[in-house]
Amino acid sequence: MGAVFFYHLTRQPLEVTLGMLLTKSLERGWRVVVRGTDPARLDWLDAKLWLEPEEGFLPHGLAGGKFDAEQPVLLTTALEAPNAPSCLIAVDGAEIRPEETEALERVCILFDGGDGAAVQAARGQWKALTSAGCKAQYWSEESGRWEKKAEA
């Protein structure tokens, strides 16, 4: 069973942290699914990922194409992940089911620390997932670098 890592964004915007996590995941040889809640927001992230990181390339695609199963990184609003990921990254409060963590190396939940509703949603996810027996870590960038602040 993989661990769930909660990333409390307070300094870097979503697209920067997402790019960093995707780069690290691909370096490990993992396929990744990025699950969001709004197709327009995923379109925006898709455009941003084509621009970041400047020194690299993040191969990815939006769900709905005939090559979804082959994508190293697939952006979707669906619960299904046709690209057989090792890592699931949830943004904008996307649903994570406890049983999903059993088949994955890692689940990452990114949430905006400046958005009270996003913080409350992440707290709810922490409680639901840890109550279901999932291992979880809470990471904060408040000090200027990522630090693990809690573990359950």
Side-chain angles (χ1 to χ4, degrees):
M1 177 185 292
V4 182
F5 285 34
F6 287 76
Y7 290 94
H8 189 167
L9 307 176
T10 57
R11 292 182 175 256
Q12 296 291 326
L14 171 65
E15 65 273 17
V16 172
T17 302
L18 179 60
M20 176 210 45
L21 291 173
L22 290 174
T23 298
K24 289 179 182 253
S25 295
L26 292 173
E27 287 171 356
R28 289 185 168 138
W30 293 350
R31 287 181 179 259
V32 181
V33 66
V34 177
R35 183 182 296 157
T37 58
D38 178 13
R41 174 81 154 162
L42 291 179
D43 285 341
W44 178 82
L45 275 174
D46 175 51
K48 290 290 189 181
L49 291 175
W50 285 115
L51 301 173
E52 297 288 335
E54 288 184 22
E55 65 281 348
F57 169 69
L58 288 171
H60 69 281
L62 284 167
K66 65 180 183 175
F67 299 107
D68 285 359
E70 299 171 30
Q71 293 293 340
V73 175
L74 184 66
L75 284 67
T76 185
T77 57
L79 293 176
E80 298 76 31
N83 66 334
S86 298
C87 179
L88 164 61
I89 299 177
V91 299
D92 300 331
E95 179 184 355
I96 301 292
R97 298 170 297 182
E99 61 272 14
E100 289 179 289
T101 66
E102 295 174 13
L104 297 166
E105 295 288 331
R106 174 104 16 106
V107 173
C108 301
I109 298 175
L110 281 61
F111 63 99
D112 181 353
D115 179 342
V119 172
Q120 284 303 110
R123 286 181 180 149
Q125 286 178 309
W126 175 277
K127 184 174 182 175
L129 291 168
T130 57
S131 293
C134 298
K135 295 178 184 175
Q137 296 182 9
Y138 166 72
W139 291 79
S140 172
E141 64 174 345
E142 194 169 29
S143 71
R145 62 183 183 92
W146 287 105
E147 296 178 324
K148 182 169 51 169
K149 298 288 189 173
E151 190 166 7

